[in-house]
Amino acid sequence: MWTANLWQDYCLIDGCDGMKLERWGDFVYQRPDPQIIWKDPSGPNQWKKSDGIYHRSTTGGGNWTFPNRDAEQEQVISYRDLRFMIKPMGFKHMGLFPEQAVNWDFMRDRIESSGREIRVLNLFGYTGGATVACIASGASVCHVDAAKGIVAHAKRNIQENNMEGPLIRYIVDDAVKFVTREIKRGKQYDAIVMDPPSYGRGPGGEVWKIEDELYGLVDLCSRVLSDNPLFFLINSYTTGLAPTAVKNLMTMTLVKKFGGKVTTDEIGLPFANSELILPCGCTARWQC
């Protein structure tokens, strides 16, 4: 498992009975997590100090409550030299997935060791964690997401890192439609990163189901890779989609076309109070 264990402003404190206890910057939050299937907390008293709690609803979704009203506001946290704006959002989100730090480190290492200018395409870019990481290492990034509000959040993160300028391009669009147009325009990228949802809809009502669409998207994206591509990274939180299945897909598309190799594994977060690790989806990395 690839573990994001270098955080200072984030800490996974404890977990039990479907909930995780986390410190984000100055505040402690409780949020649901389906991978926490054990019942006993390692530190029962710590749960009493929560500043914000997300309560699941039996009919779907849920809502936040804040024993400490200050915890409802946005704050900025850091990872290495990167800064991110986070706050409690709808459907238990905080605006950042801390486990992705292990992928940010991988991308930064590849970009910095390449010794050349790298153009990155970030599809389903969410609030821009990968975008910020790649720009910090000198790459230019085209950031694509179908949700206008989420792209606005990504812009805030870029501004927080003083990265506004020619290295970043924001696109609000359906990923497949955008890549198709980039192929027609003759655009090329040296690296691609994507974090596709299990299910979603584009701005024009386009339906996305990962099991039906991922192979076609990766095959399509292989046509905008440059002649000297650096990496292609796919992250997935889809339950039941095994890392080996994604590895097979990338082998049939990217390795077949460019050579190179694919490595896959779960990604996770370590618990502070035990030797347990929380699994947080899987990542597959192709590199030439």
Side-chain angles (χ1 to χ4, degrees):
M1 177 180 284
W2 295 318
T3 306
N5 56 8
L6 300 179
W7 277 98
Q8 293 183 330
D9 283 358
Y10 170 85
C11 178
L12 180 57
I13 301 169
D14 199 3
C16 71
D17 201 20
M19 297 289 287
K20 56 188 173 185
L21 185 69
E22 308 165 290
R23 178 180 59 81
W24 293 79
D26 296 330
F27 304 108
V28 173
Y29 300 89
Q30 294 183 34
R31 295 193 296 154
D33 194 296
Q35 298 294 335
I36 300 177
I37 58 176
W38 55 94
K39 299 295 183 181
D40 297 326
S42 61
N45 290 331
Q46 292 181 305
W47 292 79
K48 301 175 183 178
K49 304 175 183 178
S50 299
D51 299 299
I53 305 169
Y54 188 87
H55 304 271
R56 291 172 293 187
S57 169
T58 56
T59 59
N63 66 283
W64 286 95
T65 59
F66 297 96
N68 179 353
R69 297 301 301 181
D70 291 339
E72 189 174 1
Q73 307 304 313
E74 67 182 48
Q75 59 174 318
V76 174
I77 65 172
S78 298
Y79 177 77
R80 295 176 57 187
D81 56 336
L82 311 179
R83 291 167 59 84
F84 302 101
M85 188 271 286
I86 60 102
K87 65 175 295 185
M89 301 167 64
F91 196 61
K92 74 179 181 181
H93 287 188
M94 294 293 292
L96 196 69
F97 293 99
E99 63 272 11
Q100 288 301 319
V102 73
N103 285 328
W104 304 338
D105 290 343
F106 163 79
M107 289 183 280
R108 295 189 70 175
D109 179 69
R110 292 292 291 151
I111 292 167
E112 291 168 9
S113 64
S114 70
R116 58 190 172 98
E117 294 184 359
I118 299 297
R119 296 158 295 179
V120 178
L121 176 60
N122 185 6
L123 297 173
F124 310 97
Y126 193 52
T127 58
T131 295
V132 170
C134 290
I135 293 177
S137 292
S140 61
V141 181
C142 181
H143 179 100
V144 182
D145 199 283
K148 185 176 180 180
I150 291 298
V151 173
H153 191 138
K155 289 182 180 181
R156 285 285 308 276
N157 283 331
I158 291 294
Q159 293 164 359
E160 191 63 44
N161 288 274
N162 297 313
M163 292 176 174
E164 283 286 12
L167 292 181
I168 176 67
R169 181 163 64 123
Y170 307 101
I171 303 293
V172 179
D173 202 354
D174 172 77
V176 173
K177 288 185 176 181
F178 176 75
V179 174
T180 300
R181 287 197 298 271
E182 291 289 84
I183 293 171
K184 293 179 179 178
R185 289 188 283 251
K187 297 285 188 177
Q188 289 190 323
Y189 298 89
D190 304 298
I192 297 176
V193 53
M194 63 171 67
D195 194 346
S198 302
Y199 178 86
R201 289 186 179 274
E206 304 88 353
V207 175
W208 165 274
K209 292 182 179 180
I210 192 169
E211 64 272 22
D212 297 333
E213 308 293 343
L214 185 58
Y215 179 89
L217 178 59
V218 174
D219 189 52
L220 187 71
C221 286
S222 71
R223 296 165 60 187
V224 293
L225 280 173
S226 67
D227 294 334
N228 187 19
L230 188 63
F231 65 81
F232 196 125
L233 186 147
I234 301 175
N235 189 76
S236 175
Y237 293 100
T238 302
T239 303
L241 187 62
T244 301
V246 183
K247 179 179 181 179
N248 292 343
L249 182 154
M250 297 180 85
T251 299
M252 292 298 295
T253 52
L254 301 172
V255 175
K256 183 178 181 180
K257 185 173 183 177
F258 295 101
K261 64 178 182 179
V262 180
T263 53
T264 62
D265 210 335
E266 291 182 285
I267 57 174
L269 290 165
F271 284 93
N273 293 340
S274 70
E275 296 182 355
L276 302 179
I277 298 175
L278 179 65
C280 304
C282 72
T283 291
R285 303 166 177 171
W286 170 85
Q287 50 189 314
C288 215

